[in-house]
Amino acid sequence: AQSVTQLDSHVSVSEGTPVLLRCNYSSSYSPSLFWYVQHPNKGLQLLLKYTSAATLVKGINGFEAEFKKSETSFHLTKPSAHMSDAAEYFCVVSGPTGFQKLVFGTGTRLLVSP
Amino acid sequence: EPEVTQTPSHQVTQMGQEVILRCVPISNHLYFYWYRQILGQKVEFLVSFYNNEISEKSEIFDDQFSVERPDGSNFTLKIRSTKLEDSAMYFCASRGDTEFFHFGNGTRLTVT
């Protein structure tokens, strides 16, 4: 069965500094990986996805993630945090094809201070 | 851009009552899902639905839960006799024949 582990429950950064949200995955087959963001009292918005094409994936709002098979990691980064980035971020794995479901990590709350 | 819509946004019910959470998936999508998120916890898979039948369900999805696609547009989740521990945010999702899941904004269910 596939799973993801988000290594930090909370990450605090200052506005304008880099963001790193860590995720490790476990899968017996080539996974599809996603990052979703959830702002307070809002739904789940897809930030970016990896589906076995380029290992460096660019998403919305300046976020990107790099798939590293050797490290089984899919960390989310952003060069410069903005106050509006404060939210809950979920690393998600899915597969195989067919009736695939999404399996969510426990989430990382990103706090951005002025 | 098409959206998944969920109603109501908030639902308060008393323990033991039946509730129906409603979702309108994106019109040409084929796969439908319900997830839930208990406050402070991770998003958990409940059930997937394809071709008018359940394709997979989790251990959470017991006999108190059911899903239905009563017409060509709605996808509902029914909880027959709610318990306090059913209080959560319930998300509906749909997808076509790609990996992209489209989520609704959720229904916050509070059982008192």
Side-chain angles (χ1 to χ4, degrees):
Chain A
Q2 64 271 43
S3 66
V4 288
T5 301
Q6 292 184 246
L7 300 163
D8 306 294
S9 58
H10 293 82
V11 170
S12 295
V13 299
S14 298
E15 192 174 23
T17 64
V19 175
L20 170 64
L21 305 183
R22 298 183 294 165
C23 172
N24 287 98
Y25 71 90
S26 173
S27 180
S28 55
Y29 41 77
S30 184
S32 293
L33 292 159
F34 308 82
W35 277 96
Y36 280 82
V37 61
Q38 183 182 30
H39 287 93
N41 300 313
K42 298 289 186 183
L44 296 159
Q45 182 184 18
L46 178 65
L47 272 181
L48 50 81
K49 67 169 182 74
Y50 164 78
T51 54
S52 74
T55 57
L56 182 61
V57 181
K58 292 188 184 301
I60 62 171
N61 301 335
F63 284 93
E64 62 182 38
E66 187 171 6
F67 175 76
K68 292 187 177 179
K69 187 175 181 179
S70 60
E71 299 176 8
T72 61
S73 69
F74 189 59
H75 301 334
L76 181 71
T77 60
K78 183 173 180 178
S80 177
H82 192 273
M83 295 296 290
S84 61
D85 294 328
E88 188 91 15
Y89 291 80
F90 293 97
C91 183
V92 181
V93 64
S94 80
T97 56
F99 302 130
Q100 61 195 46
K101 65 184 186 214
L102 299 180
V103 176
F104 284 74
T106 49
T108 297
R109 182 165 297 277
L110 177 65
L111 306 168
V112 183
S113 55
Chain B
E1 184 178 329
E3 291 183 338
V4 175
T5 56
Q6 289 186 243
T7 55
S9 56
H10 292 87
Q11 173 89 48
V12 180
T13 189
Q14 289 189 327
M15 195 167 50
Q17 295 296 304
E18 175 184 286
V19 294
I20 297 177
L21 309 183
R22 302 182 190 278
C23 170
V24 179
I26 294 174
S27 62
N28 62 346
H29 281 185
L30 306 172
Y31 302 88
F32 312 107
Y33 304 81
W34 283 101
Y35 287 78
R36 80 171 184 190
Q37 184 183 29
I38 294 172
L39 187 64
Q41 299 185 25
K42 70 177 182 180
V43 179
E44 301 173 291
F45 168 76
L46 290 179
V47 66
S48 59
F49 192 85
Y50 171 76
N51 199 25
N52 285 319
E53 60 183 24
I54 291 173
S55 49
E56 187 176 355
K57 60 183 180 180
S58 71
E59 61 275 9
I60 303 168
F61 195 89
D62 62 21
D63 292 344
Q64 292 300 309
F65 291 87
S66 62
V67 290
E68 199 174 39
R69 189 157 161 80
D71 51 41
S73 60
N74 289 284
F75 179 53
T76 61
L77 174 70
K78 181 193 292 186
I79 309 175
R80 290 189 181 82
S81 178
T82 50
K83 302 187 283 283
L84 294 175
E85 54 265 38
D86 293 327
S87 296
M89 180 75 93
Y90 288 80
F91 291 105
C92 172
S94 71
R95 69 178 179 94
D97 56 359
T98 72
E99 304 93 349
F100 292 104
F101 285 64
H102 296 254
F103 283 87
N105 282 338
T107 293
R108 182 170 298 282
L109 176 65
T110 302
V111 182
T112 62

